[in-house]
Coordinates of all heavy atoms in Angstrom, one line a residue:
T1 N 55.7 13.0 45.0 CA 54.5 12.6 44.2 C 54.6 11.1 44.0 O 55.6 10.5 44.2 CB 54.5 13.4 42.9 OG1 55.7 13.0 42.2 CG2 54.5 14.9 43.1
V2 N 53.5 10.5 43.6 CA 53.4 9.1 43.3 C 54.4 8.8 42.1 O 55.0 7.7 42.2 CB 52.0 8.7 43.0 CG1 51.9 7.2 42.6 CG2 51.1 9.0 44.2
K3 N 54.3 9.6 41.1 CA 55.2 9.3 40.0 C 56.7 9.2 40.4 O 57.4 8.2 40.0 CB 55.0 10.3 38.9 CG 55.9 10.0 37.6 CD 55.6 10.9 36.5 CE 56.5 10.8 35.3 NZ 57.2 9.6 35.1
K4 N 57.1 10.1 41.2 CA 58.5 10.1 41.7 C 58.8 8.8 42.5 O 59.8 8.1 42.4 CB 58.8 11.3 42.5 CG 60.2 11.4 43.0 CD 60.5 12.6 43.7 CE 61.9 12.7 44.1 NZ 62.3 13.9 45.0
Q5 N 57.8 8.4 43.4 CA 58.0 7.2 44.1 C 58.0 5.9 43.3 O 58.8 5.0 43.5 CB 56.8 7.0 45.1 CG 56.8 8.0 46.3 CD 55.6 8.0 47.1 OE1 54.5 7.5 46.7 NE2 55.7 8.4 48.3
V6 N 57.2 5.9 42.2 CA 57.2 4.8 41.3 C 58.6 4.7 40.5 O 59.2 3.6 40.4 CB 56.1 4.9 40.3 CG1 56.2 3.8 39.1 CG2 54.7 4.7 41.0
E7 N 59.1 5.9 40.1 CA 60.4 5.9 39.4 C 61.5 5.4 40.4 O 62.4 4.7 40.0 CB 60.7 7.3 38.9 CG 59.9 7.7 37.8 CD 60.1 9.3 37.4 OE1 60.8 10.0 38.2 OE2 59.7 9.6 36.3
E8 N 61.4 5.8 41.6 CA 62.4 5.4 42.6 C 62.3 3.8 42.8 O 63.3 3.2 42.9 CB 62.2 6.1 43.9 CG 62.7 7.6 43.9 CD 62.3 8.3 45.2 OE1 61.7 7.7 46.1 OE2 62.7 9.5 45.2
F9 N 61.1 3.3 42.8 CA 60.9 1.9 43.0 C 61.5 1.1 41.8 O 62.2 0.2 42.0 CB 59.4 1.5 43.2 CG 59.2 0.0 43.1 CD1 59.5 -0.8 44.1 CD2 58.6 -0.5 41.9 CE1 59.3 -2.2 43.9 CE2 58.4 -1.9 41.8 CZ 58.8 -2.7 42.8
I10 N 61.2 1.6 40.6 CA 61.7 0.9 39.4 C 63.3 0.9 39.4 O 63.8 -0.1 38.9 CB 61.2 1.7 38.1 CG1 59.7 1.4 38.0 CG2 61.9 1.2 36.8 CD1 59.0 2.3 36.9
E11 N 63.9 1.9 39.9 CA 65.3 2.0 39.9 C 66.0 1.4 41.2 O 67.2 1.3 41.3 CB 65.8 3.4 39.7 CG 65.4 4.1 38.4 CD 65.6 5.5 38.4 OE1 66.2 6.1 39.3 OE2 65.2 6.1 37.3
S12 N 65.1 0.9 42.1 CA 65.6 0.4 43.4 C 66.1 -1.0 43.3 O 65.9 -1.7 42.3 CB 64.5 0.5 44.4 OG 63.6 -0.5 44.1
K13 N 66.9 -1.3 44.4 CA 67.4 -2.7 44.5 C 66.3 -3.7 44.7 O 66.4 -4.8 44.3 CB 68.4 -2.8 45.6 CG 69.7 -2.1 45.3 CD 70.8 -2.5 46.3 CE 72.1 -1.8 46.0 NZ 73.1 -2.7 45.7
T14 N 65.2 -3.2 45.3 CA 64.0 -4.1 45.5 C 63.5 -4.6 44.2 O 63.2 -5.8 44.0 CB 62.9 -3.4 46.3 OG1 63.5 -2.8 47.5 CG2 61.8 -4.2 46.5
A15 N 63.3 -3.7 43.2 CA 62.8 -4.1 41.9 C 63.9 -5.0 41.2 O 63.4 -6.0 40.6 CB 62.6 -2.9 41.0
L16 N 65.1 -4.8 41.4 CA 66.1 -5.7 40.8 C 66.1 -7.1 41.5 O 66.1 -8.1 40.8 CB 67.5 -5.1 41.0 CG 68.7 -5.9 40.5 CD1 68.6 -6.0 39.0 CD2 70.0 -5.2 40.9
N17 N 65.9 -7.1 42.8 CA 65.7 -8.4 43.5 C 64.4 -9.1 43.0 O 64.5 -10.4 42.9 CB 65.7 -8.2 45.0 CG 67.0 -7.8 45.6 OD1 68.1 -8.0 45.0 ND2 67.0 -7.1 46.7
I18 N 63.4 -8.4 42.8 CA 62.2 -9.1 42.3 C 62.4 -9.7 40.9 O 62.0 -10.8 40.7 CB 61.0 -8.0 42.3 CG1 60.5 -7.7 43.8 CG2 59.8 -8.6 41.5 CD1 59.5 -6.6 43.8
S19 N 63.1 -8.9 40.1 CA 63.5 -9.5 38.8 C 64.3 -10.7 38.9 O 64.1 -11.7 38.1 CB 64.2 -8.4 37.9 OG 63.5 -7.3 37.7
E20 N 65.2 -10.8 39.8 CA 66.0 -11.9 40.0 C 65.3 -13.1 40.5 O 65.4 -14.3 40.1 CB 67.2 -11.6 40.9 CG 68.2 -10.7 40.3 CD 69.3 -10.2 41.2 OE1 69.3 -10.6 42.4 OE2 70.2 -9.4 40.8
I21 N 64.3 -12.9 41.4 CA 63.5 -14.0 41.9 C 62.6 -14.5 40.8 O 62.4 -15.8 40.7 CB 62.6 -13.4 43.0 CG1 63.4 -13.1 44.3 CG2 61.5 -14.5 43.4 CD1 62.7 -12.4 45.4
I22 N 62.1 -13.6 39.9 CA 61.3 -14.1 38.7 C 62.2 -15.0 37.9 O 61.7 -16.1 37.4 CB 60.8 -12.9 37.9 CG1 59.7 -12.1 38.8 CG2 60.2 -13.3 36.5 CD1 59.3 -10.8 38.1
I23 N 63.4 -14.6 37.6 CA 64.3 -15.5 36.8 C 64.6 -16.8 37.5 O 64.5 -17.9 36.8 CB 65.7 -14.7 36.5 CG1 65.4 -13.5 35.7 CG2 66.7 -15.6 35.9 CD1 66.6 -12.6 35.5
D24 N 64.8 -16.8 38.8 CA 65.0 -18.0 39.6 C 63.7 -18.9 39.5 O 63.9 -20.1 39.3 CB 65.3 -17.7 41.0 CG 66.7 -17.2 41.3 OD1 67.5 -17.3 40.3 OD2 67.0 -16.8 42.4
L25 N 62.6 -18.3 39.6 CA 61.4 -19.1 39.6 C 61.1 -19.7 38.2 O 60.7 -20.8 38.0 CB 60.1 -18.3 40.0 CG 60.1 -18.0 41.5 CD1 58.9 -17.0 41.8 CD2 59.8 -19.2 42.3
D26 N 61.5 -19.0 37.2 CA 61.4 -19.5 35.7 C 62.3 -20.7 35.6 O 61.8 -21.7 35.0 CB 61.8 -18.4 34.7 CG 60.7 -17.6 34.3 OD1 59.5 -18.0 34.4 OD2 61.0 -16.4 33.8
T27 N 63.5 -20.6 36.1 CA 64.4 -21.6 36.0 C 64.0 -22.9 36.8 O 64.1 -24.0 36.4 CB 65.9 -21.2 36.4 OG1 66.2 -20.0 35.7 CG2 66.9 -22.2 36.1
Y28 N 63.5 -22.6 38.0 CA 62.9 -23.7 38.9 C 61.8 -24.4 38.2 O 61.7 -25.6 38.2 CB 62.5 -23.1 40.2 CG 61.6 -24.0 41.0 CD1 62.2 -25.1 41.6 CD2 60.3 -23.8 41.2 CE1 61.4 -26.0 42.4 CE2 59.5 -24.7 42.0 CZ 60.1 -25.8 42.6 OH 59.4 -26.6 43.4
L29 N 60.9 -23.7 37.5 CA 59.8 -24.3 36.8 C 60.2 -25.1 35.6 O 59.5 -26.1 35.3 CB 58.7 -23.2 36.4 CG 58.0 -22.5 37.6 CD1 57.3 -21.3 37.1 CD2 57.0 -23.5 38.2
E30 N 61.3 -24.7 34.9 CA 61.7 -25.4 33.8 C 62.3 -26.7 34.2 O 62.3 -27.7 33.4 CB 62.6 -24.6 32.8 CG 64.0 -24.6 33.3 CD 64.9 -23.7 32.3 OE1 64.4 -22.9 31.7 OE2 66.1 -24.0 32.4
G31 N 62.8 -26.8 35.4 CA 63.4 -28.1 35.8 C 64.8 -28.3 35.2 O 65.2 -27.7 34.2
G32 N 65.4 -29.4 35.6 CA 66.7 -29.8 35.1 C 67.5 -30.5 36.2 O 67.1 -30.6 37.3
A33 N 68.6 -31.1 35.7 CA 69.4 -31.9 36.6 C 70.8 -31.3 37.0 O 71.5 -31.9 37.8 CB 69.6 -33.3 36.1
D34 N 71.1 -30.2 36.4 CA 72.5 -29.6 36.6 C 72.5 -29.0 38.1 O 71.5 -28.9 38.8 CB 72.9 -28.6 35.6 CG 71.9 -27.4 35.5 OD1 70.9 -27.4 36.2 OD2 72.3 -26.4 34.8
N35 N 73.7 -28.4 38.4 CA 73.9 -27.9 39.7 C 73.0 -26.8 40.0 O 72.5 -26.6 41.2 CB 75.4 -27.6 39.9 CG 75.8 -27.4 41.4 OD1 75.2 -28.1 42.2 ND2 76.7 -26.5 41.6
Q36 N 72.8 -25.8 39.1 CA 72.0 -24.7 39.3 C 70.5 -25.1 39.6 O 69.9 -24.5 40.6 CB 72.0 -23.7 38.1 CG 71.1 -22.5 38.3 CD 71.0 -21.7 37.0 OE1 71.3 -22.1 35.9 NE2 70.5 -20.4 37.2
H37 N 70.0 -26.0 38.9 CA 68.7 -26.5 39.1 C 68.5 -27.2 40.5 O 67.5 -27.0 41.2 CB 68.1 -27.4 38.0 CG 67.9 -26.6 36.8 ND1 68.8 -26.5 35.7 CD2 66.8 -26.1 36.3 CE1 68.3 -25.8 34.8 NE2 67.0 -25.5 35.1
K38 N 69.5 -27.9 40.9 CA 69.5 -28.5 42.2 C 69.5 -27.4 43.3 O 68.7 -27.6 44.3 CB 70.8 -29.4 42.4 CG 70.8 -30.7 41.6 CD 72.0 -31.5 41.9 CE 72.0 -32.7 41.0 NZ 73.3 -33.5 41.1
Q39 N 70.2 -26.4 43.2 CA 70.2 -25.3 44.2 C 68.8 -24.6 44.2 O 68.3 -24.3 45.3 CB 71.2 -24.3 43.9 CG 72.6 -24.7 44.2 CD 73.6 -23.6 43.9 OE1 73.4 -22.7 43.1 NE2 74.8 -23.7 44.7
L40 N 68.2 -24.5 43.1 CA 66.9 -23.8 43.0 C 65.8 -24.8 43.6 O 64.9 -24.3 44.2 CB 66.5 -23.4 41.6 CG 67.3 -22.2 41.0 CD1 67.0 -22.0 39.5 CD2 67.0 -21.0 41.8
R41 N 66.0 -26.0 43.4 CA 65.0 -27.0 44.0 C 65.1 -27.0 45.5 O 64.1 -27.1 46.2 CB 65.2 -28.4 43.5 CG 64.5 -28.8 42.2 CD 64.4 -30.2 42.0 NE 65.6 -31.0 42.0 CZ 66.5 -31.0 41.1 NH1 66.3 -30.4 39.9 NH2 67.6 -31.7 41.2
E42 N 66.4 -26.8 46.0 CA 66.6 -26.7 47.4 C 66.0 -25.4 47.9 O 65.3 -25.4 49.0 CB 68.1 -26.7 47.7 CG 68.4 -26.8 49.2 CD 69.9 -26.8 49.4 OE1 70.6 -27.5 48.7 OE2 70.3 -26.2 50.4
A43 N 66.1 -24.3 47.2 CA 65.5 -23.0 47.7 C 64.1 -22.9 47.5 O 63.4 -22.4 48.4 CB 66.2 -21.9 46.8
Y44 N 63.5 -23.4 46.4 CA 62.1 -23.3 46.1 C 61.3 -24.6 46.2 O 60.1 -24.6 45.8 CB 61.9 -22.6 44.8 CG 62.4 -21.2 44.7 CD1 63.6 -21.0 44.0 CD2 61.8 -20.2 45.3 CE1 64.1 -19.7 44.0 CE2 62.3 -18.9 45.3 CZ 63.5 -18.6 44.6 OH 64.0 -17.4 44.5
G45 N 61.9 -25.6 46.7 CA 61.3 -26.9 46.8 C 60.0 -27.0 47.6 O 59.2 -27.9 47.4
H46 N 59.9 -26.1 48.6 CA 58.7 -26.1 49.4 C 57.5 -25.6 48.7 O 56.4 -25.8 49.1 CB 59.0 -25.2 50.7 CG 59.2 -23.7 50.3 ND1 60.4 -23.3 49.9 CD2 58.3 -22.7 50.4 CE1 60.3 -22.0 49.6 NE2 59.1 -21.6 50.0
L47 N 57.7 -25.0 47.5 CA 56.6 -24.5 46.7 C 56.2 -25.6 45.6 O 57.1 -26.1 45.0 CB 56.9 -23.2 45.9 CG 57.3 -22.0 46.8 CD1 57.8 -20.9 45.8 CD2 56.1 -21.5 47.5
S48 N 54.9 -25.8 45.5 CA 54.5 -26.6 44.3 C 54.7 -25.8 43.0 O 54.8 -24.6 43.1 CB 53.1 -27.1 44.5 OG 52.2 -25.9 44.4
K49 N 54.7 -26.5 41.9 CA 54.9 -25.7 40.7 C 53.7 -24.8 40.4 O 54.0 -23.6 40.0 CB 55.0 -26.8 39.5 CG 56.2 -27.7 39.5 CD 57.3 -27.2 38.9 CE 58.5 -28.1 39.1 NZ 59.4 -28.1 38.0
P50 N 52.5 -25.1 40.6 CA 51.4 -24.1 40.5 C 51.6 -22.9 41.4 O 51.4 -21.8 41.0 CB 50.1 -24.9 40.8 CG 50.4 -26.3 40.6 CD 51.9 -26.4 40.9
E51 N 52.0 -23.1 42.7 CA 52.3 -22.0 43.5 C 53.4 -21.1 43.0 O 53.3 -19.9 43.1 CB 52.6 -22.5 45.0 CG 51.5 -23.1 45.7 CD 51.9 -23.7 47.0 OE1 53.0 -24.3 47.1 OE2 51.2 -23.6 48.0
A52 N 54.5 -21.8 42.6 CA 55.6 -21.0 42.1 C 55.2 -20.2 40.9 O 55.6 -19.0 40.7 CB 56.8 -21.9 41.7
R53 N 54.4 -20.7 40.0 CA 53.8 -20.0 38.8 C 53.0 -18.8 39.2 O 53.2 -17.7 38.7 CB 53.0 -21.0 38.0 CG 53.3 -20.8 36.5 CD 52.5 -21.9 35.7 NE 53.4 -23.1 35.6 CZ 53.0 -24.3 36.2 NH1 51.8 -24.4 36.8 NH2 53.7 -25.4 36.2
K54 N 52.1 -19.0 40.2 CA 51.3 -17.9 40.7 C 52.2 -16.7 41.3 O 51.9 -15.6 41.1 CB 50.3 -18.4 41.8 CG 49.2 -19.2 41.2 CD 48.2 -19.6 42.3 CE 47.2 -20.5 41.8 NZ 46.3 -21.1 42.9
I55 N 53.2 -17.1 42.1 CA 54.1 -16.1 42.7 C 54.8 -15.4 41.6 O 55.0 -14.1 41.7 CB 55.0 -16.7 43.8 CG1 54.2 -17.3 44.9 CG2 56.1 -15.8 44.2 CD1 54.9 -18.2 45.9
K56 N 55.4 -16.1 40.7 CA 56.1 -15.5 39.6 C 55.2 -14.5 38.8 O 55.6 -13.4 38.5 CB 56.6 -16.6 38.6 CG 57.4 -16.0 37.4 CD 57.6 -17.1 36.4 CE 56.4 -17.3 35.6 NZ 56.5 -17.9 34.4
N57 N 54.0 -14.9 38.5 CA 53.1 -14.0 37.8 C 52.7 -12.8 38.6 O 52.7 -11.7 38.1 CB 51.8 -14.7 37.3 CG 52.1 -15.8 36.3 OD1 53.1 -15.7 35.5 ND2 51.3 -16.8 36.2
Y58 N 52.6 -13.0 39.9 CA 52.2 -11.9 40.8 C 53.4 -10.8 40.8 O 53.2 -9.6 40.7 CB 52.0 -12.4 42.2 CG 51.7 -11.3 43.2 CD1 50.5 -10.6 43.2 CD2 52.7 -11.0 44.2 CE1 50.2 -9.6 44.2 CE2 52.4 -10.0 45.1 CZ 51.2 -9.4 45.1 OH 51.0 -8.4 46.1
L59 N 54.6 -11.3 40.9 CA 55.8 -10.5 41.0 C 55.9 -9.8 39.6 O 56.3 -8.6 39.6 CB 57.0 -11.2 41.3 CG 57.1 -11.8 42.8 CD1 58.3 -12.7 43.0 CD2 57.0 -10.7 43.8
K60 N 55.7 -10.5 38.5 CA 55.8 -9.8 37.2 C 54.8 -8.7 37.1 O 55.1 -7.7 36.5 CB 55.5 -10.9 36.1 CG 56.7 -11.6 35.6 CD 56.4 -12.4 34.4 CE 57.5 -13.2 33.8 NZ 57.1 -14.0 32.7
D61 N 53.6 -8.9 37.6 CA 52.5 -7.9 37.6 C 52.9 -6.7 38.3 O 52.6 -5.6 37.9 CB 51.2 -8.5 38.1 CG 50.6 -9.4 37.2 OD1 50.9 -9.5 35.9 OD2 49.6 -10.2 37.6
I62 N 53.6 -6.8 39.5 CA 54.1 -5.7 40.2 C 55.0 -4.8 39.4 O 54.8 -3.6 39.3 CB 54.7 -6.1 41.5 CG1 53.7 -6.7 42.5 CG2 55.5 -5.0 42.2 CD1 54.3 -7.3 43.7
L63 N 56.0 -5.5 38.8 CA 56.9 -4.7 38.0 C 56.3 -4.1 36.7 O 56.6 -2.9 36.4 CB 58.1 -5.6 37.5 CG 59.0 -6.1 38.7 CD1 60.1 -7.0 38.1 CD2 59.6 -5.0 39.5
N64 N 55.4 -4.9 36.1 CA 54.7 -4.4 34.9 C 53.8 -3.2 35.2 O 53.8 -2.3 34.4 CB 53.9 -5.5 34.2 CG 54.8 -6.6 33.6 OD1 56.0 -6.3 33.3 ND2 54.2 -7.8 33.3
D65 N 53.1 -3.3 36.3 CA 52.2 -2.2 36.7 C 53.0 -0.9 37.0 O 52.6 0.2 36.6 CB 51.4 -2.6 37.9 CG 50.3 -3.6 37.6 OD1 50.0 -3.8 36.4 OD2 49.7 -4.1 38.6
A66 N 54.2 -1.1 37.7 CA 55.0 0.1 37.9 C 55.5 0.7 36.6 O 55.5 2.0 36.4 CB 56.2 -0.3 38.8
E67 N 56.0 -0.1 35.7 CA 56.5 0.4 34.4 C 55.3 1.0 33.6 O 55.5 2.1 33.0 CB 57.0 -0.8 33.5 CG 58.4 -1.3 34.1 CD 59.6 -0.4 33.8 OE1 59.4 0.6 33.1 OE2 60.6 -0.6 34.5
K68 N 54.1 0.4 33.6 CA 53.0 1.0 32.9 C 52.5 2.3 33.5 O 52.3 3.3 32.8 CB 51.8 0.0 32.9 CG 50.7 0.5 32.1 CD 49.5 -0.6 32.1 CE 48.3 -0.3 31.3 NZ 47.8 1.1 31.3
Y69 N 52.5 2.4 34.8 CA 52.2 3.7 35.4 C 53.2 4.8 35.0 O 52.8 5.9 34.7 CB 52.1 3.5 37.0 CG 51.8 4.8 37.7 CD1 50.4 5.0 38.0 CD2 52.7 5.7 38.1 CE1 50.0 6.2 38.6 CE2 52.3 6.9 38.8 CZ 51.0 7.1 39.0 OH 50.6 8.3 39.6
N70 N 54.5 4.4 35.1 CA 55.5 5.4 34.8 C 55.4 5.8 33.3 O 55.5 7.0 33.0 CB 56.9 4.8 35.0 CG 57.9 5.8 35.1 OD1 57.8 6.9 35.6 ND2 59.1 5.4 34.6
Y71 N 55.1 4.9 32.4 CA 54.9 5.3 31.0 C 53.7 6.1 30.8 O 53.7 7.1 30.1 CB 54.8 4.0 30.2 CG 54.6 4.2 28.7 CD1 55.7 4.5 27.9 CD2 53.3 4.1 28.2 CE1 55.5 4.8 26.5 CE2 53.2 4.4 26.8 CZ 54.3 4.7 26.0 OH 54.1 4.9 24.7
D72 N 52.6 5.8 31.5 CA 51.3 6.5 31.3 C 51.4 7.9 31.8 O 50.7 8.8 31.4 CB 50.1 5.8 32.0 CG 49.8 4.5 31.2 OD1 50.2 4.4 30.0 OD2 49.0 3.7 31.8
K73 N 52.2 8.1 32.8 CA 52.3 9.5 33.5 C 53.5 10.3 33.0 O 53.8 11.3 33.6 CB 52.4 9.2 35.0 CG 51.2 8.6 35.7 CD 50.0 9.5 35.5 CE 48.8 8.8 36.2 NZ 47.6 9.6 36.0
R74 N 54.1 9.9 31.9 CA 55.2 10.7 31.4 C 54.7 12.1 30.9 O 53.5 12.2 30.5 CB 56.0 9.9 30.4 CG 55.3 9.7 29.0 CD 56.0 8.8 28.1 NE 55.4 8.8 26.8 CZ 54.3 8.2 26.4 NH1 53.5 7.6 27.4 NH2 53.8 8.3 25.2
K75 N 55.6 13.0 30.8 CA 55.2 14.3 30.3 C 55.0 14.2 28.8 O 55.8 13.6 28.1 CB 56.3 15.3 30.6 CG 56.3 15.7 32.1 CD 57.3 16.9 32.3 CE 57.3 17.2 33.7 NZ 58.3 18.2 34.0
G76 N 54.0 14.7 28.3 CA 53.7 14.8 26.9 C 53.7 16.2 26.4 O 54.2 17.1 27.0
R77 N 53.3 16.4 25.2 CA 53.3 17.6 24.6 C 52.1 18.5 25.2 O 51.1 17.9 25.5 CB 53.1 17.6 23.1 CG 54.3 16.9 22.4 CD 54.1 16.7 21.0 NE 53.7 17.9 20.3 CZ 53.5 18.1 19.0 NH1 53.6 17.0 18.2 NH2 53.2 19.2 18.5
R78 N 52.3 19.8 25.3 CA 51.3 20.6 25.8 C 50.2 20.8 24.7 O 50.5 20.9 23.5 CB 51.8 22.0 26.1 CG 52.6 21.9 27.4 CD 53.0 23.3 27.9 NE 53.7 23.3 29.1 CZ 54.2 24.4 29.7 NH1 53.9 25.6 29.2 NH2 54.8 24.3 30.8
K79 N 49.0 20.8 25.1 CA 47.9 21.0 24.2 C 47.8 22.5 23.9 O 48.0 23.4 24.7 CB 46.6 20.6 24.8 CG 46.5 19.1 25.1 CD 45.1 18.7 25.7 CE 45.2 17.2 25.9 NZ 44.0 16.7 26.6
K80 N 47.5 22.7 22.6 CA 47.4 24.1 22.1 C 46.1 24.7 22.7 O 45.1 24.1 22.7 CB 47.3 24.1 20.6 CG 48.2 25.0 19.9 CD 48.0 24.9 18.4 CE 49.1 25.6 17.7 NZ 48.9 25.6 16.3
Q81 N 46.2 25.9 23.2 CA 45.0 26.5 23.7 C 44.3 27.3 22.6 O 44.9 28.0 21.8 CB 45.4 27.5 24.9 CG 46.0 26.9 26.1 CD 46.0 27.8 27.2 OE1 45.5 28.9 27.2 NE2 46.6 27.3 28.4
T82 N 43.0 27.0 22.6 CA 42.2 27.7 21.6 C 41.8 29.1 22.1 O 41.7 29.3 23.3 CB 40.9 26.9 21.4 OG1 40.2 26.7 22.6 CG2 41.2 25.5 20.8
K83 N 41.7 30.0 21.1 CA 41.3 31.4 21.5 C 39.9 31.6 21.5 O 39.1 31.0 20.9 CB 42.0 32.3 20.5 CG 43.5 32.3 20.6 CD 44.1 33.2 19.7 CE 45.6 33.2 19.8 NZ 46.3 34.0 18.9

């Protein structure tokens, strides 16, 4: 079912990697002069800041949509049947 696939995606390494890319892009966008920021500039320097922001938001939306779908499709209480 779709719900099972979404749950598997949320728990997958792919979702974890997307989260890490989002963190990297956040750090790249904030800028800085230390060693970590230099490495991120080297990795993501081909992207302009607006492009990096769009990609970060797109990836966040993917994760948020999966979480929202999973939350909306959770099992609830059964409705009482009227006689």
Side-chain angles (χ1 to χ4, degrees):
T1 65
V2 175
K3 181 168 174 23
K4 185 177 179 184
Q5 290 173 335
V6 170
E7 287 174 350
E8 289 173 358
F9 169 74
I10 290 171
E11 297 169 5
S12 71
K13 289 194 180 242
T14 303
L16 180 65
N17 289 338
I18 290 173
S19 297
E20 291 173 0
I21 291 170
I22 291 169
I23 293 168
D24 285 349
L25 287 170
D26 270 338
T27 308
Y28 168 69
L29 289 167
E30 83 182 20
D34 65 349
N35 197 32
Q36 180 187 16
H37 286 92
K38 286 180 185 176
Q39 285 183 336
L40 290 172
R41 269 197 313 279
E42 185 178 325
Y44 296 105
H46 64 283
L47 297 174
S48 66
K49 298 272 177 145
E51 287 175 325
R53 222 173 276 115
K54 285 179 187 175
I55 292 169
K56 180 191 75 159
N57 291 335
Y58 177 74
L59 294 174
K60 269 187 181 179
D61 287 344
I62 291 173
L63 295 180
N64 290 340
D65 288 348
E67 289 287 345
K68 184 177 182 320
Y69 182 88
N70 195 36
Y71 179 80
D72 290 345
K73 297 296 181 182
R74 71 190 188 286
K75 287 186 179 178
R77 293 176 54 180
R78 288 189 177 180
K79 295 182 182 176
K80 229 181 195 182
Q81 292 198 4
T82 56
K83 293 182 181 178

